[in-house]
Amino acid sequence: MNFETIAAIVFLIALTILVYLKRKNLETKQIIPYFLYFSMYKTKIGINLMDSIAKKYKKFVKYLGYFGIAVGFLGMAFISYMLIANSINLFTKPEAAPGVGLVLPFKAKGIFFVPFFYWIISIFVIAVVHEFSHGLIARANNLKVKSSGFAFLGLIIPIVPAAFVEPDEKELKKRPNKEQLSVFAAGPLANILTAFLFLAVASFILAPISNAIVEPDGVKVTDYVKGSEKFPAENAGIKIGEVIQQVDNYSTLYVNNLSAVLRSKKPSDIVAIKTDKSIYSIKLAKNPENESLAYIGAYLEQSTKIKNKIKAAYGDFLPNSVIWILGLFVILFILNLGIGLFNLAPIGPLDGGRMLQLVLHRLFNKEKGNRIWGYIGMFFLIIIFINIAAGFGLFNFIK
């Protein structure tokens, strides 16, 4: 058990104790009684700052909110298409990966693993950016924000920390459609813009620095490709985390080197793969997407090490810190973008769902609009369930 795992366990224990001690001050909604719930701790944190920014930059913030409406509907169309397309792939392509998964600081089947400290920092940034933006657009439109605070999604014990901002819903429903839509779209827009800000910093500042202090060290096996049968890498006993350095005496310092060697081989060829741990004899398989190509059936990434001259000049801590921060910014990009888009899915309480409901009320009467909205939301809930269940291997029997 490494330090990150221990930290995650300690955090969950501390969060459970905190929720228990503050239980009388929490407003809890039971989704599945005593099993799945959402608890809120209401405060006034951040409201004065929202007021100050909204007052000083009122026109800009309002126009940003209107821009968010366009981004919101485009994002809704994109995420809807991707969810449907990915679900079709799950049933037609054995190697297809689920399009939706749980993001947690634990390694397990069906989990998108993020190291604990990356995870907790990302959750904090995503939640604060998302909810603050809802409040900011609301205040720019002179809509009262009743409270803000911390929240927890619980699965028996509290698991995922969150934040919230609570505009006056009764007043919001009386506002023009463009004001309502801009408030709904504000959170996803902020996450998407923040994602690209982190990407820009990572690409143009941190990545060049990182490239100057590291050098290639081979190709790391990060996971096995799952199919109806085990693929060669898993069959041969190559462990996740091992670094491939040679294939048949050809150096594979870069991913491109390994790809080039495999392209020169045919399915059923036997190759010798040298890693940083051992040497393996592997019979190559057919690539599921092109049976004429050889395949080892593993997910790979570039492995690097700190240059010796950098170590000599700066030691280990400073170079490793730069690499760690670069990794954090990449995760912040991925999760902000992913969660921002996911919040635009046309489902019930999500921001995209609320935007769609408002449009359907405008196109139809309220009763018919709600009925159509319910059908659409249920359809996409089923799709999301299929993707999550597929990640846990619950549909392997049909592949």
Side-chain angles (χ1 to χ4, degrees), residues 186-200:
L189 172 67
N191 286 133
I192 291 169
L193 293 179
T194 301
F196 285 103
L197 174 62
F198 282 118
L199 178 63

Side-chain angles (χ1 to χ4, degrees), residues 70-126:
V71 172
F73 281 114
L74 288 173
M76 189 190 305
F78 176 76
I79 191 65
S80 298
Y81 169 77
M82 292 302 296
L83 285 170
I84 293 170
N86 194 263
S87 298
I88 293 171
N89 285 340
L90 288 175
F91 292 98
T92 58
K93 297 180 180 180
E95 74 283 0
V100 178
L102 302 177
V103 180
L104 291 171
F106 299 102
K107 288 185 178 180
K109 188 178 179 66
I111 299 294
F112 180 78
F113 168 72
V114 176
F116 173 73
F117 292 108
Y118 283 178
W119 179 79
I120 195 63
I121 293 171
S122 298
I123 290 293
F124 176 79
V125 170
I126 290 166

Side-chain angles (χ1 to χ4, degrees), residues 206-247:
L206 295 174
I209 296 173
S210 179
N211 289 337
I213 63 178
V214 300
E215 59 187 2
D217 189 34
V219 182
K220 182 185 290 186
V221 176
T222 60
D223 201 356
Y224 306 123
V225 175
K226 303 299 180 184
S228 55
E229 298 180 357
K230 291 182 179 179
F231 284 111
E234 187 175 4
N235 266 331
I238 297 178
K239 301 292 189 297
I240 293 172
E242 287 193 48
V243 178
I244 298 174
Q245 297 175 331
Q246 288 184 1
V247 176

Side-chain angles (χ1 to χ4, degrees), residues 12 15-16 19 28-40 151-162:
L12 288 179
L15 189 59
T16 302
V19 169
T28 299
K29 296 179 181 179
Q30 298 285 349
I31 302 170
I32 300 175
Y34 305 107
F35 181 75
L36 183 64
Y37 57 89
F38 186 76
S39 295
M40 296 186 293
F152 313 95
L153 178 65
L155 191 64
I156 301 178
I157 64 170
I159 294 179
V160 182

Side-chain angles (χ1 to χ4, degrees), residues 3-154:
F3 178 69
E4 296 257 4
T5 303
I6 294 170
I9 293 170
V10 170
F11 171 77
L12 288 179
I13 293 171
L15 189 59
T16 302
I17 294 170
L18 177 64
V19 169
Y20 177 77
L21 293 175
K22 296 290 184 180
R23 64 191 183 280
K24 293 181 180 179
N25 304 107
L26 297 176
E27 185 176 303
T28 299
K29 296 179 181 179
Q30 298 285 349
I31 302 170
I32 300 175
Y34 305 107
F35 181 75
L36 183 64
Y37 57 89
F38 186 76
S39 295
M40 296 186 293
Y41 183 72
K42 294 185 177 181
T43 69
K44 298 291 184 181
I45 294 175
I47 294 178
N48 287 338
L49 182 59
M50 294 173 201
D51 288 342
S52 175
I53 297 175
K55 184 177 180 180
K56 188 173 182 180
Y57 304 103
K58 188 169 187 175
K59 184 176 285 189
F60 172 77
V61 173
K62 289 182 73 171
Y63 280 119
L64 187 63
Y66 300 150
F67 172 68
I69 298 172
V71 172
F73 281 114
L74 288 173
M76 189 190 305
F78 176 76
I79 191 65
S80 298
Y81 169 77
M82 292 302 296
L83 285 170
I84 293 170
N86 194 263
S87 298
I88 293 171
N89 285 340
L90 288 175
F91 292 98
T92 58
K93 297 180 180 180
E95 74 283 0
V100 178
L102 302 177
V103 180
L104 291 171
F106 299 102
K107 288 185 178 180
K109 188 178 179 66
I111 299 294
F112 180 78
F113 168 72
V114 176
F116 173 73
F117 292 108
Y118 283 178
W119 179 79
I120 195 63
I121 293 171
S122 298
I123 290 293
F124 176 79
V125 170
I126 290 166
V128 169
V129 166
H130 185 102
E131 297 301 333
F132 186 87
S133 299
H134 280 308
L136 183 62
I137 299 295
R139 293 304 300 132
N141 287 285
N142 298 316
L143 178 67
K144 180 182 178 181
V145 175
K146 295 165 65 176
S147 67
S148 64
F150 306 102
F152 313 95
L153 178 65

